[in-house]
């Protein structure tokens, strides 16, 4: 028996929420492993990244089959295309968490890598991602726009961390390895912030048919 289109959409939405939850878990565990120097946890995060990759493939396959079977138009088509885009972006967020663990696993430095700003960045990113997915689930245009704007704060936090690490290196060159590894880990969080912001942009497109980036470009051209 062929499922109703609404049932398929609901199933895809639930799959995306599960994928996002796993990404949150991966971000949390990656930073915990990195800061604590937990090699075993880092290996688990790297291994679990395969689950996220598989989820992206499955969600895309469901969306493509739904388009072929139901021939959706307008808002329904935008929703399926948005689901494909979001799954791809979540996969990249998962990759970045895995890459943070790779820094630890390839490092010759033993011990912990405690850094308050790194934890603040992680918490902020997790909040961004949760809000992005809530905006998708609830069709909340305002929240999606807020998520897009939140990325600026994450960029500022990265710049603050970067400057503090450079200062540590200048104070004592022995801090080079530690500071450099923290900068790289923070950069992966910052990149994930850019990706999550683009989820907000995509949700706005799903709801309105307009992209935030297009609106910004039009504003610049009219200035």
């Amino acid at each position: 028996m062929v499922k109703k289109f609404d049932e398929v959409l609901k199933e895809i939405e639930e799959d995306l929420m599960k994928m996002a939850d796993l990404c949150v878990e991966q971000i949390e565990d990656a930073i915990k492993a990195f800061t604590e120097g937990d090699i075993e946890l880092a290996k688990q995060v790297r291994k679990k990244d395969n689950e996220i990759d598989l989820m992206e493939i499955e969600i895309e396959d469901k969306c493509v089959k739904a388009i072929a079977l139901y021939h959706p138009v307008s808002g329904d088509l935008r929703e399926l295309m948005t689901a494909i885009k979001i799954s791809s972006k979540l996969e990249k967020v998962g990759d970045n968490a895995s890459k943070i663990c790779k820094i630890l696993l390839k490092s010759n430095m033993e011990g912990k890598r405690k850094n308050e700003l790194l934890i603040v960045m992680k918490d902020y990113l997790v909040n961004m991602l949760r809000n992005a997915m809530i905006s998708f689930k609830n069709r909340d245009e305002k929240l999606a726009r807020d998520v897009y704007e939140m990325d600026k704060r994450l960029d500022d936090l990265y710049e603050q961390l970067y400057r503090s690490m450079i200062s540590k290196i200048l104070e004592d060159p022995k801090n080079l390895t530690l500071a450099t590894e923290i900068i790289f880990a923070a950069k992966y969080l910052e990149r994930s912030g850019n990706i999550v912001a683009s989820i907000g942009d995509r949700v706005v497109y799903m709801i309105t048919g307009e992209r935030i980036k297009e609106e910004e470009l039009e504003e610049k051209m009219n200035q």
Side-chain angles (χ1 to χ4, degrees):
M1 182 177 178
V2 178
K3 292 181 181 179
K4 294 180 179 179
F5 183 64
D6 288 346
E7 292 176 355
V8 174
L9 281 181
K10 185 67 175 177
E11 186 177 302
I12 291 169
E13 178 186 294
E14 290 173 354
D15 288 346
L16 280 171
M17 300 305 290
K18 289 177 184 176
M19 188 177 182
D21 286 343
L22 183 53
C23 284
V24 166
E25 183 182 322
Q26 287 286 87
I27 294 166
E28 297 273 11
D29 286 347
I31 293 301
K32 182 179 180 181
F34 178 80
T35 56
E36 296 291 335
D38 190 331
I39 300 297
E40 288 307 312
L41 182 57
K43 289 179 180 178
Q44 289 176 27
V45 171
R46 295 278 291 172
K47 185 176 182 180
K48 198 176 287 186
D49 186 49
N50 293 329
E51 293 181 32
I52 295 177
D53 294 343
L54 183 60
M55 291 176 86
E56 181 203 5
I57 294 170
E58 291 175 346
I59 290 169
E60 182 179 356
D61 184 58
K62 286 182 181 180
C63 290
V64 170
K65 286 180 179 177
I67 293 170
L69 181 62
Y70 299 102
H71 306 290
V73 295
S74 190
D76 289 336
L77 180 58
R78 287 202 307 272
E79 183 167 347
L80 287 171
M81 296 304 296
T82 298
I84 292 172
K85 288 288 186 180
I86 290 177
S87 68
S88 174
K89 293 175 189 299
L90 290 175
E91 188 273 334
K92 290 180 174 64
V93 170
D95 277 350
N96 285 338
S98 179
K99 288 173 182 176
I100 290 171
C101 290
K102 188 176 180 180
I103 297 170
L104 172 63
L105 295 173
K106 285 185 168 291
S107 177
N108 294 320
M109 192 188 85
E110 297 182 355
K112 298 182 179 182
R113 295 160 177 77
K114 293 290 187 180
N115 184 277
E116 281 189 23
L117 275 174
L118 194 64
I119 301 300
V120 171
M121 287 184 68
K122 180 265 294 180
D123 290 341
Y124 193 86
L125 173 62
V126 165
N127 187 45
M128 273 185 74
L129 179 52
R130 284 177 172 152
N131 282 339
M133 297 310 296
I134 290 170
S135 74
F136 169 72
K137 184 176 182 179
N138 296 341
R139 311 300 186 263
D140 189 331
E141 180 187 350
K142 182 182 181 303
L143 184 57
R145 289 180 179 276
D146 288 345
V147 169
Y148 185 81
E149 293 298 325
M150 285 175 74
D151 185 46
K152 295 173 183 176
R153 172 61 178 156
L154 196 60
D155 292 343
D156 289 342
L157 287 170
Y158 172 73
E159 289 300 325
Q160 188 179 342
L161 180 145
Y162 179 83
R163 288 193 299 269
S164 69
M165 290 300 100
I166 295 300
S167 295
K168 279 190 173 293
I169 294 170
L170 294 175
E171 288 170 8
D172 187 350
K174 290 180 182 178
N175 292 324
L176 178 62
T177 300
L178 173 63
T180 301
E181 289 185 359
I182 290 174
I183 287 171
F184 279 132
K187 188 63 181 176
Y188 284 126
L189 293 179
E190 188 269 339
R191 286 177 181 172
S192 288
N194 294 339
I195 294 166
V196 174
S198 70
I199 291 177
D201 178 46
R202 282 288 169 178
V203 172
V204 170
Y205 170 74
M206 178 185 75
I207 297 168
T208 68
E210 300 290 335
R211 299 280 300 279
I212 298 175
K213 292 178 182 178
E214 289 177 351
E215 292 174 2
E216 290 178 345
L217 182 59
E218 287 179 4
E219 286 178 6
K220 289 179 181 179
M221 291 176 65
N222 292 329
Q223 286 177 355

